[in-house]
Amino acid sequence: MPAQDCIFCKIVAGEIKGERLFDDDQVIAIRDINPQAPVHILVISREHIESLIRLPSEKAPILGHMSAVGNELARHEGLWPKGYRLVINAGPDGGQSVPHLHLHLLGGRPMRWPPG
Ligand code: DGP
């Protein structure tokens, strides 16, 4: 999908308004439109990278940054010490529906394992 047609690129660019829980030069964070838990936040890369599998190794440090932002938001949302989950869905079987790299922060209820 070209970046100009990408919903997350439009959100990153501010073409679609909404509350930003976090914003820096690499990522933004917003609440998921279809929450799967009492807290469901998306940490979205500013750069349009279609999927985890498309992340070149030289850009892999963004995953550490996304995790750090997820951890900080988890603390801010009061999810620790009960716990939370950070998830990246990749590809159709991975449950990815938006082809733009993003991390899910889920919490506020016990998570099941294995995931569905
Ligand atoms: P995934 O299935 O891993 O690709 O997750 C995509 C998530 O993005 C899904 O949980 C729903 C959410 N989402 C899709 N469109 C929008 C939107 O326009 N705004 C917000 N806040 N979330 C969206």
Side-chain angles (χ1 to χ4, degrees):
M1 174 193 286
Q4 67 265 25
D5 297 329
C6 171
I7 185 77
F8 284 179
C9 283
K10 289 181 178 163
I11 291 172
V12 165
E15 290 169 29
I16 297 169
K17 303 291 176 206
E19 186 195 3
R20 293 188 182 199
L21 307 178
F22 183 86
D23 190 339
D24 72 5
D25 61 334
Q26 295 184 74
V27 299
I28 68 162
I30 58 171
R31 294 199 191 275
D32 195 291
I33 204 169
N34 183 24
Q36 302 301 310
V39 175
H40 188 170
I41 294 171
L42 303 172
V43 181
I44 302 171
S45 66
R46 282 189 168 273
E47 184 178 351
H48 181 77
I49 295 165
E50 280 191 13
S51 187
L52 191 57
I53 197 85
R54 300 278 183 227
L55 183 69
S57 57
E58 68 272 15
K59 293 186 178 172
I62 195 173
L63 296 178
H65 183 60
M66 292 170 85
S67 299
V69 170
N71 289 340
E72 192 51 41
L73 289 166
R75 273 192 211 97
H76 187 259
E77 295 285 319
L79 299 179
W80 193 258
K82 279 201 159 179
Y84 57 94
R85 187 170 287 175
L86 298 178
V87 181
I88 296 177
N89 298 324
D93 277 5
Q96 183 180 5
S97 60
V98 177
H100 181 126
L101 183 65
H102 57 282
L103 176 80
H104 296 256
L105 165 63
L106 296 149
R109 65 166 171 82
M111 297 293 144
R112 290 176 293 277
W113 193 263

